[in-house]
Amino acid sequence: MGVRKRETADARKEANKSIAFAKLNNCPTSPRKMRLVADLVRGQKVERALNVLRFSQKEASRKLEKLLLSAINNWEQKNAEASIEDAGLFVKEIRVDGGAMLKRLRPAPQGRAHRIRKRSNHVTIVLGQVDNTQSN
């Protein structure tokens, strides 16, 4: 590896230390139901987002809570010396995309059949660190 390539790789690695992400693929919930819960925590601080997900009645909130905890642990692995309380982590981005769709047939009257689409989704959570140099 050349010097310039190593320097840019180190710079990219240092810039990515402030963010952490986690992905959940092929979650067997429809994207529409998952987006309802994802909209509740978008832009929130991590502590508040965990409380919102923990006390929500929706089934999708259990899966998102587990995914958020995974993203927090990923951030801890990158920043072993830093503490979460001082970092000011927040949900920078949360994206819910449609996943694979299972197509099933349900019998209908008069010899016909209706198609049932069992949807799944992909969820990506990106955690950001509040920059202390900016004034919010």
Side-chain angles (χ1 to χ4, degrees):
M1 187 185 290
V3 174
R4 189 177 334 128
K5 196 171 186 180
R6 187 179 308 116
E7 287 174 353
T8 57
D10 289 340
R12 191 179 320 115
K13 191 174 183 181
E14 193 61 37
N16 284 340
K17 268 197 166 188
S18 63
I19 64 167
F21 71 96
K23 290 175 76 172
L24 174 64
N25 287 331
N26 294 321
C27 179
T29 309
S30 72
R32 186 174 180 178
K33 291 177 184 175
M34 188 65 84
R35 282 188 194 110
L36 285 173
V37 180
D39 290 341
L40 294 175
V41 297
R42 185 175 286 119
Q44 300 285 335
K45 290 198 176 285
V46 168
E47 295 84 12
R48 178 163 168 69
L50 279 173
N51 285 332
V52 167
L53 292 174
R54 190 166 292 131
F55 294 110
S56 174
Q57 296 292 317
K58 303 256 184 210
E59 179 63 32
S61 66
R62 307 288 175 261
K63 296 171 182 164
L64 275 184
E65 179 186 3
K66 197 169 179 181
L67 185 64
L68 182 58
L69 288 172
S70 176
I72 292 169
N73 285 333
N74 291 343
W75 185 86
E76 285 177 343
Q77 294 296 319
K78 280 186 177 181
N79 305 289
E81 66 281 347
S83 69
I84 296 175
E85 292 81 19
D86 299 335
L89 291 178
F90 69 102
V91 181
K92 185 175 185 177
E93 180 183 348
I94 183 165
R95 202 169 50 245
V96 180
D97 302 319
M101 200 180 311
L102 297 175
K103 294 178 179 162
R104 300 289 181 256
L105 292 177
R106 165 149 301 166
Q110 298 179 358
R112 289 183 300 230
H114 293 304
R115 180 175 287 167
I116 304 292
R117 292 181 307 234
K118 297 188 175 212
R119 300 173 188 269
S120 67
N121 62 54
H122 306 311
V123 185
T124 306
I125 288 185
V126 178
L127 298 182
Q129 205 169 341
V130 175
D131 198 8
N132 293 334
T133 58
Q134 296 176 353
S135 60
N136 291 339

